[in-house]
Structures are given as C-alpha cells and as structure tokens.
C-alpha cells in the first residue's frame, strides 16, 4: 500500500457545504519512520463538528487547511508497524482523516476494545460520541432519580446515549427528534419515556405535554428553535450541558440584533459556565459565615465602602429614579428619621 485515496478540503463553504467544497485525490503515503504505523482505514466516522473544521472562523480547534485532508476519526487495520505497541492485523482507532490509508505515529493510535461489540462502535456508542454523552451528563447534567432529562438529536449517537443513561439513574427521558421514524425508534427501541417531533407544527405544545413537571436537565445538541421551545420548560436549578449547536453550524454571518447564536457558540467553544443565582439560595446556610468573616474586616477598615445617604422619605422616589440612571454614588440609603 503506497498510494491511497483521500478527500481534501477544496474550498470553504458559505452556509451548507456542497460537493464542490471537497476533492477526491490519490496521494503517495509518506515513508514510515521509527514509531510509525501504516494502517488501512476500515471505517470513517462522520460527525457534525467537521462542519466547524471546514470554516476558518475562530474556534476551539484549528481549521482544515485548503488542500488538507478532511479531519476525522477512523477504525483501521494495522498493515505494518514500526511501533512496539502494534502489530499487523491489530484493529486501531485514530485520527487519520478522510482517507483509505495512512502512515501515522503509533503514539496517537489506540487499540479498539469493544468488549465484543462490533468494531464500528469504537467511533460511536463506545467512542467519542458515547463518551460525550456520558461525560456531559456525569460532570454537568448530573441527573437525579425522578428528574426529567431532555435531549434533542435523540436518535443520534450522543442523544441516544444521553436518554438511556438518564433512564439508568431513574430519571425520565424525553427525546426530541426529527420525524416519525426517528421518534418511533427513540421511544420503542431506545426506551425513552416520551419523544416529540421537532418538525411538527405543535412541537412546543407537545414538549410541554411530555414534560409536565418541567425539564431538569437539557442536554443541548442543536440550538435554534428547539432551544426556544425548551427554555420556558427549564425548572429552577436546571442544568444545561451545552454540547453542540448543529442547527447553527451552517449559519450565515452573526446577526447584529439576535445575540443568542453567538452567545451559545461562545458558551460551547470556550466551555463557559453560566449559572444564575438568587442570594436566598445560599443565605440560610452561609450568611452567618459571611458575617463572621467579613464583619471584622469592615470594622477594621480593611474592607472599604461608600454610602450615598439621602435625607427625608419624601425624597425617596427621586433618589430611586436617579439610582436607576446612575445618579447615586455608593449604597443609596434614605435617612428617614432626621434624628437617626
Ligand atoms: N461537545 C463535544 O465534545 C461534542 C462531541 C460530540 C458531538 N457533539 C455535538 O453533539 C451534537 C449531536 O452529535 P451527534 O454526533 O449525536 O449527531 P447526530 O445526531 O448523528 O446528527 C445530528 C442530528 O442533529 C439533528 N439536527 C440537525 N439539524 C437540526 C436543526 N436545525 N434543528 C434540530 N435538530 C437538528 C438531526 O437529528 P433530528 O432529525 O432528530 O433532528 C441530525 O440527525 C452535535 O451538535 C455535535 O456537534 C459535541
């Protein structure tokens, strides 16, 4: 195996990718060095993130160069090995890209271990997508027994795992999927408690019906109008692992008026944790600690403060209105009793 086929990025798409953005070409394999492994690609995983790699917009990962091999993970068979960890016939997983074969460092390959499941699962349910669902739920979503977990793209590798893991902890799994066939699969085969078709006209209403107690964990895979429907259903203290925004991936330039897509995109790409809170959530348990810690520092002048004191209750409205325009300077307080 000296010549392989590969698909390179011919041009960057604007909006939806088209076949013209790709080029199939023959190329010579490079000479294998010490530590390299020569592989024949058996399966290539296609994943939504690849749309991002086709773009040179700022992202968490570098774009594929024009003329470069499209990125992707593959399941391969080792043909020759100059790496002590691998031998001919081994089935491995690696990021060879969209190609029929590669010479690749053995250090970045991993032997496929699927516990008897087909080797394709190494790039699916037992690979990156399955792990994505597992880790997003474990570390961010944290579903509890009795809670409602909703996920879109529910028939896909990430979503299908999310719902099934939710069921395992005793949560109610609500799937959102596109079309009756996918919905039937999610409910009947995957065992979700309920599923709604986001392509139906009464999607938002249907979502309300199947989440009567609201949603405690929404595993965000798509964004767009699905998010609009989910947002009002989120309960207090709901958790939203922002995993993917596939509805935005083909999007045009950012809107000057609608900042939601860029906000969601920043949350995803920079792993932002945005968590609202009302102080009463903590006060009962922590106020005394706060007072004991900060009170002496204020009294000692270590922590400084400023007050803006207005005389007379009758001046309260004006002071209040002024505060909303920034006229106060320091903590605005009304001195109601002149003798105080
Ligand atoms: N953060 C991470 O590390 C990470 C890792 C892996 C995947 N992801 C993300 O997780 C998400 C799911 O990935 P996957 O591999 O499991 O994908 P997938 O389900 O195999 O494919 C994407 C699905 O998204 C749905 N979809 C596409 N456009 C949509 C739109 N405009 N509105 C609503 N739904 C739309 C479609 O399903 P329906 O027809 O059912 O709507 C489509 O089949 C993606 O956003 C992906 O980028 C993130």
């Amino acid at each position: 195996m000296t010549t392989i086929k590969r698909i390179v990025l011919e041009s960057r798409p604007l909006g939806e990718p088209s076949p013209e953005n790709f080029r199939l070409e023959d190329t010579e394999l490079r000479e294998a060095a010490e530590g390299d492994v020569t592989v024949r690609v058996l399966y290539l995983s296609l994943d939504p993130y690849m749309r991002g790699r086709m773009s040179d917009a700022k992202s968490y990962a570098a774009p594929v160069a024009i003329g470069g091999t499209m990125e992707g993970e593959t399941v391969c068979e080792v043909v020759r090995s100059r790496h002590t960890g691998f031998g001919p016939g081994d089935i491995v997983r690696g990021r060879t890209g969209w190609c029929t074969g590669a010479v690749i460092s053995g250090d970045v390959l991993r032997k496929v271990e699927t516990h008897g499941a087909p080797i394709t699962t190494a790039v699916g349910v037992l690979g990156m997508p399955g792990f994505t669902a597992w880790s997003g739920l474990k570390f961010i979503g944290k579903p509890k027994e009795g809670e409602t977990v909703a996920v879109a793209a529910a028939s896909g590798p990430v979503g299908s795992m999310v719902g099934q893991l939710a069921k395992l902890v005793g949560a109610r799994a609500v799937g959102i999927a596109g079309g009756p066939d996918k919905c039937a699969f999610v409910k009947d085969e995957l065992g979700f408690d309920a599923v709604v078709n986001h392509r139906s006209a009464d999607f938002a209403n249907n979502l309300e019906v199947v989440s009567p107690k609201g949603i405690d964990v929404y595993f965000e895979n798509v964004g767009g109008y699905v998010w609009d429907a989910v947002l009002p259903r989120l309960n207090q203290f709901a958790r939203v692992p922002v995993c993917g925004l596939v509805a935005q991936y083909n999007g045009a330039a950012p809107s000057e008026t609608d900042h939601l897509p860029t906000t969601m995109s920043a949350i995803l790409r920079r792993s932002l944790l945005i968590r609202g809170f009302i102080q009463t959530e903590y006060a009962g348990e922590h106020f005394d600690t706060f007072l004991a810690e900060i009170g002496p520092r204020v009294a000692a002048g270590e922590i400084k403060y400023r007050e803006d004191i207005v005389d007379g209750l009758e001046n309260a409205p004006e002071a209040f209105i002024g505060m909303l325009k920034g006229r106060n300077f320091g903590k605005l307080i009304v001195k109601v009793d002149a003798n105080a």
Side-chain angles (χ1 to χ4, degrees), residues 48 128 132 153 156-158 177-178 182 198-199 221-222 226 243-247 249:
M128 182 277 284
T132 300
V158 176
K182 287 183 176 180
H198 69 80
R199 296 192 204 283
N221 277 337
V222 301
V226 173
C243 171
L245 299 164
V246 67
Y249 292 173

Side-chain angles (χ1 to χ4, degrees), residues 124-141:
V125 65
L126 293 177
M128 182 277 284
F131 177 74
T132 300
W134 181 87
S135 54
L137 270 192
K138 185 173 176 65
F139 300 117
I140 303 171

